[in-house]
Structure formats: C-alpha cells, structure tokens
Amino acid sequence: MSHDNLKVFPSVNERYQALVQSGELDMDPAQQQLALRFDRLIRDVATKRLATKSSALGWLFSRKSPRNEIVKGLYIYGEVGRGKTMLMDMFHQLVPVKRKRRAHFLDFMADVHERINAHRKALKNGETKQEDPIPPVADALAEQSWVLCFDEFTVTDIADAMILSRLFRALFERGVVLVATSNVLPDNLYRDGLNRQLFLPFIDLLKTHVDVINLDARTDYRLEKLNRMPVYLSPLNDESNRLMDEAWHAATEGATVASDSVTVKGRSVVIPKAGSNAARFTFADLCSKPLGAADYTAIIQRYKTIFIDAVPVLDHARRNEAKRFIILIDILYDNHVHIVISAAASPDKLYVANRGTEAFEFDRTASRLFEMQSEDYLEHAARPTAAAS
C-alpha cells in the first residue's frame, strides 16, 4: 500500500472508509470512532500551527504556555491486532506538520539515553556547563519533532522509568503533542517495577496531556484473516511466493511497512520488513548470520507474527544454519508465536543429513513445525499473553 495514496485523503476517517469500501477492512464501530477522534486531533494541531506560525518557535519553546494553548494528544490501549497502529500511522501520514516523528517507543528511549550520555561526555570534556542533561535533550527533541507518535508504549526498564517524568514534563512544556499506542492502561505502566513510586508522577503527568482511549474493537482482525490461510507453504515456487505475499498483506493491512531493528547487547539486529505486529525475514536473514537465542527472543518480544521466506533443504554442510533454525523454531514454539513459512520441502524433509546432533534435534523441529500449523496452536497463538494483556 503506497504512502502516496494516503495523501489524497484529507482525513483519517475518509481513509478508513475507503479501505472498508474496497474490502481491505471490515467496518468496526470502535475503529471508526477512533478515526474520527484522530481527525479532531488533526484539526487541533492544524489550528495551533496556524495560530503560532507568525511567532516562529515562540510557542514551541515557551515554558509557560497558557493552559488553553495545550493540545491534548492520545493514548490508545487495547489488545493486539485491533487496529491501534494502523490508525495511528494514518494520523501520522495526514497530520499537517513537517516536524513529526513516528517511532517504536523502545527505540525512542534508546535514542534519549544516547543523547543523555553524549551530553554527560560533553560536560566531562568541558564542552558545556549545563549539568542537567534533560533540558538540552528536550530542546533538541522538541525542535526536531513537536508531534511524537509512539508504537508499543511500554516501560520495563528502570533507567527509562526514572527519567520519563522529567523528560516528558520538559517536552510538554515545549508544546510537544504525544500520540501513543499500548497494550496497557497508563495506570498499569511499569507495574511491579523497582521503585515504582518514583515513576507514579509520570502517570499523572501523562494523563493530563493525553486523552486515554480504549480501542475495544470486536476482534483481532488481522489474525482472523491470517488464520484462514495456510501457514506452511512448500515447495518454493511462484504460487508459494504469491500466498506468502497475500498472508503478509493480511497481517499488515492498513499499517505502514518499513525496516526496523532491535538492539541486543549493544548489537543491532535488522528486521527487513515490519508492519503492525508482524515482521518478515528470509531464512538467510535469520539463520545465515551469527544470531542466537537472545536475538530471536528480542525479535518476538516486539513482533508476535513472524514470516520466514525461502527455507532451503539443509544438509550436513549447512549444519550451523540448521542449528540456528532449530533454536529459532524452539523459541517461536515455546512462546506460541504465529508463523508463516515458505520452504523447499515439508518439515520432515528439510534436513537430509543422517549424522551429527542436528539430525537428531531436527526431528523435534519438524514435529513442532507440523504442530504450529494446527488449529489448537493457532488458537493459542492468537490469545494475548499475560505480558500483553
């Protein structure tokens, strides 16, 4: 779905209605109400932009903006696959602001920590006299983007928790508008976290600057379509490629598809294609590179549907790739991840060597690949996990 096509629709609701009329989406009243709420926010942002255009950045960097100048953003929570990300991405495309940013929340926080560390290094080297890194970091972030859209807003790291209140107070003072999607209520952020009482002021601050909306859509509409499609496609040919693309469209429809990355022990693991709650790789992306269990675990913590294209028949000469594939399938299976795979052969014929430990271990992998196609497995995979509820 081309981003250019989005530009011909002046509102999120009109874009949503067009997708419904084309048959790409089923009408859902909760999604439509959220689309209308996004359009109201677009009008609020556009009005503020026009009202402050003549004053350049005066409003943006005013730390004592009058109450009536605040544009309240949105915090949308709900179960996986209900359309939160899809609608937020439409908003991000259509909101008439040049300085805007759409990011996964954990990536944004990694950027914040890098900026803070850079400021501390500059202080140590005598390049600045400003001891507190938060104000200059907030200045830079607000200057670059005064509309921030975050996907998967979650707080699990104590380092993030301890700076969020001060950072976002500074951003809100600079006029930044926040839009975020999450699986949890604001009150449940950083639940049971270490020193959580120090985090609670952030929750109060957040709720004064956003309207909290529960997207209680009728179903996980993407998995509903995806579960009607085959999840293991072989052999590799034009038809399996077409069916993989069809399933990918069902998993990501309406969402922006782009590359992504996750950071594991200081290394960046590239995700070639990602949209909404799904990520797509080739076998070579995942198993021909020196990746391990920690990398695969980091990927599935962010994405709950994994596509793997072009799994080849493996032999003893490719035992290292086979070993990684064994580890990958174990992690996907143990975490009830929804998979869609295209392969050169059926699971029991993917590993043809009859020697080495991989030959024995691959029997388990083949068994799991068969089970991961079953209705029971797919039904379990569709349920939100405790962490995401």
Side-chain angles (χ1 to χ4, degrees):
M1 192 172 298
S2 170
H3 291 179
D4 291 337
N5 290 339
L6 288 174
K7 295 176 183 177
V8 305
F9 296 94
S11 76
V12 176
N13 184 50
E14 288 184 25
R15 175 61 180 158
Y16 178 76
Q17 295 293 343
L19 291 172
V20 170
Q21 290 169 13
S22 70
E24 294 185 58
L25 293 179
D26 294 329
M27 169 59 75
D28 187 286
Q31 291 178 347
Q32 184 183 22
Q33 287 302 308
L34 180 57
L36 291 168
R37 182 62 184 83
F38 270 126
D39 286 337
R40 198 171 94 200
L41 179 56
I42 286 176
R43 289 193 295 272
D44 291 345
V45 169
T47 300
K48 177 56 63 179
R49 179 175 174 270
L50 289 172
T52 59
K53 193 172 182 180
S54 61
S55 60
L57 297 182
W59 170 73
L60 179 59
F61 293 102
S62 171
R63 302 193 180 192
K64 297 181 180 179
S65 298
R67 179 72 180 176
N68 62 8
E69 289 190 346
I70 292 175
V71 175
K72 291 190 75 170
L74 297 177
Y75 181 103
I76 306 118
Y77 74 97
E79 293 182 358
V80 169
R82 267 53 182 182
K84 303 183 298 294
T85 300
M86 172 189 70
L87 291 165
M88 182 184 73
D89 285 347
M90 290 183 194
F91 164 82
H92 179 260
Q93 288 286 334
L94 294 169
V95 65
V97 173
K98 289 184 178 179
R99 292 193 301 275
K100 56 187 175 181
R101 179 176 180 180
R102 192 274 192 207
H104 193 282
F105 182 67
L106 295 181
D107 291 337
F108 172 79
M109 290 308 299
D111 178 32
V112 167
H113 287 296
E114 287 181 8
R115 291 170 185 262
I116 289 174
N117 290 335
H119 181 88
R120 287 171 175 162
K121 184 177 180 180
L123 178 65
K124 184 178 179 180
N125 293 338
E127 297 167 10
T128 179
K129 295 182 180 180
Q130 169 65 275
E131 293 187 2
D132 185 356
I134 295 298
V137 167
D139 283 342
L141 290 170
E143 185 173 6
Q144 291 170 2
S145 310
W146 69 273
V147 174
L148 290 176
C149 295
F150 294 139
D151 197 24
E152 299 284 345
F153 197 109
T154 185
V155 184
T156 57
D157 185 273
I158 188 171
D160 291 349
M162 293 305 99
I163 68 170
L164 275 173
S165 185
R166 294 189 62 238
L167 173 66
F168 274 86
R169 187 176 299 281
L171 290 174
F172 290 141
E173 286 174 349
R174 288 156 175 76
V176 168
V177 177
L178 171 66
V179 174
T181 71
S182 181
N183 293 332
V184 300
L185 274 163
D187 288 337
N188 289 335
L189 288 168
Y190 198 51
R191 189 171 182 176
D192 302 322
L194 187 64
N195 294 326
R196 188 172 188 261
Q197 70 279 5
L198 301 177
F199 176 76
L200 295 179
F202 169 72
I203 295 177
D204 293 335
L205 175 71
L206 178 65
K207 290 193 292 188
T208 64
H209 286 270
V210 296
D211 288 332
V212 178
I213 296 175
N214 177 19
L215 181 55
D216 188 19
R218 60 175 178 80
T219 187
D220 185 335
Y221 68 94
R222 284 188 290 266
L223 276 183
E224 188 179 68
K225 289 187 177 181
L226 198 56
N227 283 349
R228 296 197 293 264
M229 298 178 177
V231 298
Y232 190 98
L233 301 161
S234 67
L236 298 176
N237 53 31
D238 290 343
E239 178 65 7
S240 62
N241 291 338
R242 183 187 69 78
L243 291 172
M244 284 291 286
D245 289 340
E246 186 178 322
W248 176 249
H249 179 74
T252 60
E253 63 178 357
T256 298
V257 173
S259 62
D260 194 6
S261 65
V262 293
T263 301
V264 182
K265 298 179 181 178
R267 295 178 294 104
S268 181
V269 179
V270 175
I271 300 169
K273 290 184 180 180
S276 183
N277 212 31
R280 188 171 183 177
F281 305 84
T282 63
F283 173 85
D285 293 327
L286 291 169
C287 300
S288 298
K289 298 177 181 178
L291 303 180
D295 304 296
Y296 302 143
T297 299
I299 290 168
I300 67 167
Q301 285 176 343
R302 184 172 299 184
Y303 296 102
K304 305 306 180 189
T305 299
I306 302 297
F307 283 69
I308 308 172
D309 286 288
V311 179
V313 172
L314 301 162
D315 56 19
H316 188 69
R318 303 183 73 174
R319 60 189 180 277
N320 289 333
E321 291 166 90
K323 182 65 177 178
R324 293 189 191 104
F325 189 65
I326 290 167
I327 294 170
L328 171 64
I329 296 303
D330 281 346
I331 289 172
L332 297 177
Y333 177 88
D334 289 341
N335 289 276
H336 306 289
V337 174
H338 194 295
I339 62 163
V340 184
I341 292 177
S342 66
S346 61
D348 56 333
K349 292 181 172 60
L350 274 180
Y351 195 68
V352 296
N354 55 13
R355 60 192 175 96
T357 58
E358 292 79 18
F360 171 76
E361 291 178 341
F362 212 93
D363 287 341
R364 182 183 71 247
T365 299
S367 175
R368 289 187 162 184
L369 284 170
F370 279 119
E371 185 180 344
M372 292 167 89
Q373 302 174 57
S374 69
E375 289 185 13
D376 286 346
Y377 181 88
L378 292 173
E379 182 182 349
H380 197 159
R383 296 174 194 153
T385 63
S389 60

